[in-house]
């Protein structure tokens, strides 16, 4: 089979790789229907995170079960499935608390931007989609594999509730998903911070009531204007840079919370913006499995269409162009079809 | 009148000071019935926080209103009152969100370890205690001025709810108050980390179900044993040192939250213990006014006795000994009577 392998900064190749095989009785093999490039993949593509040797890459997928291990009982060959970016058994004490990203018995994928994928902990990881969904629904289901559930985790972690005022920092696929999550969770005001017209448009279609294009002091001043002079109840940090984390903390009112899901690449957490201001930070790697059933139902009944974050579709063989387009901000998120 | 003035590390003096006067129509003057020394006062006493010039000190009190400014309507001379360590108008947009410690129009006290105290924003700050409470209730009411509400804020910030497992780091007056708060908020298991027999005993009387005397790796191992191997849902950080903040974060399960109220004296927040573990931090300076009515009712009807944290009572003139006793850990908290 073929799949994407990252060799170094700016160097993603579509290569022949060995077909994955069942290694443990809890594994399954899935034939990919669609996969995609994640903003977090760009940390390595941009050289921010080092790549010491060529490694298969990608962690999002929907597909059809090809084979299952002896212990797998909830999915069978032929099932259309979606799974989160982080395998989990969904039964350990941490999973029982709804924190499947920190599963005590989780595993890792060997690169999901590929024609075939080995799924560890298949029973706990995969969710069966009834029948064979219409092609038009595939992007929306694929978005649940990471970005939509990650945006949802930001909103849940920040304590978004009916009536909340919310600021979303970051207008990538996760930030836009965070706008949709905040809106679905009943936020009264959802302020998207975005400078790009196309992303602003998606943000509005996802429920943003306001868009703030300014950054830094001006951006904070605009947020203050929109929040009665005190900042937002909940702020979703969907980037992970120093600038965005500071922006998020500053945009939060006393007693409010930043829900952070952008993998932090920061020297340190600015504690001067926290304790004395009574501003907290919660969140981390999203427990996709905790949200998957609920959000899949919303996608299947047409209530939400998180697949709108995909604005570029390519053959999987052109995966390198998907990275380049996202790196150069020509695309929000690239969907890849084997 | 007389009051305490800190001149430098280890140097607190009881001195003659000018009587406070009404400066703004929203001020009141209170004649102190009881005041006390706070763990946070020790940062300066121990030289951790510098003292550049002699300043009056103290921020906790109960007393009787002596005089009110022209705009004060909710209290009158003769009323027995308690107020939080941080004045607030209780009407600004931040106060309306329940974050009175960050009041947009707050003020500061000019040292409450004194015979008379000027109270800024008297209407928003002071709560009238019906009648003249029995002497036996005074310590419990005084504890609401800071430590009990601070422990409560830790528990609320950490999301303590019925059925929670809770760890309390710190066995000072705030930590012990945190144990009481967690218990009152319905926690199923409250693990107090304490090495001192007398404090352990108070912790148990406040509702601790378990006491862990170990610290560091051993302390964490004990917490894991008591929490099904995953850590606690909520951890109250009631100290503020590097060691205690790390202990608190490590004791928290994935998806759990540290409620921090110990003024942080740390180089940086250890982010490696947060994002990837899905462990958050919330809290800060406690909004005493938000909790005062509720907790005062619990004290007056005998449901809780947070005054048990006072294990030393001195005449106010011996305030220096109160500091020394707390610094040398001979006392948990010193109550001072003018």
């Amino acid at each position: 089979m073929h799949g994407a392998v990252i060799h170094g900064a700016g160097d993603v190749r579509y290569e022949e790789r060995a077909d994955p095989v069942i290694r443990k009785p809890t594994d399954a093999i899935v034939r990919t229907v669609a996969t995609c490039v994640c903003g977090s993949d760009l940390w390595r593509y941009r050289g921010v995170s080092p790549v010491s040797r060529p490694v298969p890459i990608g962690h999002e997928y929907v597909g059809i079960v090809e084979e299952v291990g002896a212990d797998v009982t909830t999915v069978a060959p032929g099932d259309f499935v979606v799974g989160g970016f982080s395998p989990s058994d969904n039964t350990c004490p941490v999973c029982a608390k709804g924190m499947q990203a920190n599963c005590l018995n989780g595993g890792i994928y060997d690169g999901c931007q590929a024609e075939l994928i080995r799924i560890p902990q298949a029973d706990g990881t995969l969710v069966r989609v009834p029948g064979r969904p219409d092609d038009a629904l595939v992007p929306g289901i694929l978005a649940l594999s990471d970005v939509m559930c990650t945006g949802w985790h930001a909103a849940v972690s920040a304590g978004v509730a009916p009536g909340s005022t919310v600021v979303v920092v970051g207008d990538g696929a996760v930030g836009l998903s965070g706008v949709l999550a905040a809106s679905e969770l009943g936020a009264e005001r959802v302020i998207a911070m975005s400078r790009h017209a196309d992303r602003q448009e998606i943000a509005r279609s996802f429920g943003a009531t306001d868009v703030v294009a300014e950054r830094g002091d001006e951006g904070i001043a605009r947020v203050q204007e929109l929040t009665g002079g005190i900042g937002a109840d909940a702020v979703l940090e969907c980037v992970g840079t120093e600038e965005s984390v500071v922006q998020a903390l500053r945009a939060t009112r006393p007693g409010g919370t930043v829900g952070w899901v952008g993998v932090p690449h920061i020297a340190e957490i600015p504690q001067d913006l926290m304790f004395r201001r009574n501003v907290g930070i919660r969140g981390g790697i999203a427990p996709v499995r905790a949200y998957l059933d609920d959000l899949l139902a919303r996608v299947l009944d047409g209530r939400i269409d998180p697949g709108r974050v995909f604005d570029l579709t390519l053959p999987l063989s052109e995966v390198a162009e998907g990275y380049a387009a996202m790196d150069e901000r020509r695309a929000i998120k690239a969907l890849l079809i084997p």
Side-chain angles (χ1 to χ4, degrees), chain A:
Chain A
M1 68 128 186
H2 292 78
V5 175
I6 187 164
H7 286 252
D11 184 7
V12 170
R13 304 179 200 170
Y14 187 65
E15 297 179 353
E16 184 156 358
R17 291 177 47 205
D19 281 9
V21 295
I22 299 284
R23 285 191 215 155
K24 293 187 180 178
T26 46
D27 287 350
I29 305 296
V30 162
R31 181 167 294 277
T32 309
V33 169
T35 179
C36 50
V37 181
C38 184
S40 68
D41 293 329
L42 296 183
W43 293 110
R44 281 182 285 172
Y45 187 80
R46 288 173 172 160
V48 178
S49 300
V51 178
S52 57
R53 59 184 177 80
V55 280
I57 190 166
H59 53 259
E60 296 155 285
Y61 61 92
V62 293
I64 292 169
V65 177
E66 182 103 350
E67 187 187 352
V68 297
D71 292 353
V72 175
T73 62
T74 61
V75 294
D79 286 349
F80 190 99
V81 291
V82 57
F85 62 86
S86 174
S88 56
D89 69 7
N90 206 25
T91 57
C92 83
V94 173
C95 286
K97 293 281 187 181
M99 281 295 133
Q100 288 88 341
N102 300 93
C103 175
L104 300 178
N105 307 304
I108 52 164
Y109 297 118
D110 191 28
C112 297
Q113 289 156 10
E115 291 171 314
L116 291 167
I117 309 166
R118 184 179 72 88
I119 314 293
Q121 302 288 5
D123 274 340
T125 303
L126 296 174
V127 169
R128 193 175 155 275
V129 181
R132 163 86 204 218
D134 191 84
D135 280 356
L137 287 174
V138 167
I141 301 170
L142 177 61
L144 303 182
S145 192
D146 184 341
V147 290
M148 184 61 214
C149 289
T150 296
W152 196 267
H153 188 51
V156 168
S157 300
V160 175
S164 295
T165 55
V166 180
V167 166
V168 180
V169 177
D171 62 0
V174 172
L176 294 170
S177 299
V179 169
L180 182 53
S183 176
E184 284 289 295
L185 288 164
E188 186 177 299
R189 187 150 214 168
V190 183
I191 303 164
M193 304 198 79
S194 171
R195 295 188 293 191
H196 304 87
D198 55 337
R199 298 172 187 225
Q200 293 177 355
E201 196 276 312
I202 296 177
R204 288 196 189 274
S205 79
F206 277 1
T209 54
D210 304 271
V211 170
V212 169
E214 295 86 350
R215 290 193 182 181
D217 290 344
E218 284 176 36
I220 295 300
R222 286 283 297 132
V223 167
Q224 297 280 341
E225 275 171 38
L226 295 167
T227 56
I230 62 174
D233 300 326
V235 176
L236 318 190
E237 199 296 301
C238 304
V239 184
T241 62
E242 197 91 41
E243 185 191 357
S244 65
V245 170
V246 167
Q247 190 87 355
L249 288 166
R250 290 183 64 197
T252 312
R253 70 159 170 84
T257 305
V258 172
W260 66 344
V261 294
V263 181
H265 287 68
I266 59 178
E268 62 183 84
I269 301 171
Q271 53 170 309
D272 56 309
L273 296 177
M274 296 181 61
F275 189 89
R276 288 189 184 279
R277 298 177 62 240
N278 260 299
V279 166
I281 292 184
R282 299 184 73 235
I285 311 290
V288 171
R289 190 65 187 79
Y291 308 129
L292 207 42
D293 294 315
D294 174 19
L295 297 184
L296 179 61
R298 293 179 201 233
V299 170
L300 294 179
D301 73 8
R303 182 177 164 86
I304 59 173
D305 181 12
R308 285 207 60 199
V309 297
F310 295 105
D311 57 350
L312 175 65
T313 300
L314 294 169
L316 178 57
S317 57
E318 293 176 28
V319 57
E321 166 56 14
Y323 277 81
M326 285 175 62
D327 175 41
E328 295 159 22
R329 292 188 168 272
R330 287 183 279 117
I332 298 173
K333 192 167 176 74
L335 188 147
L336 305 165
I337 307 283

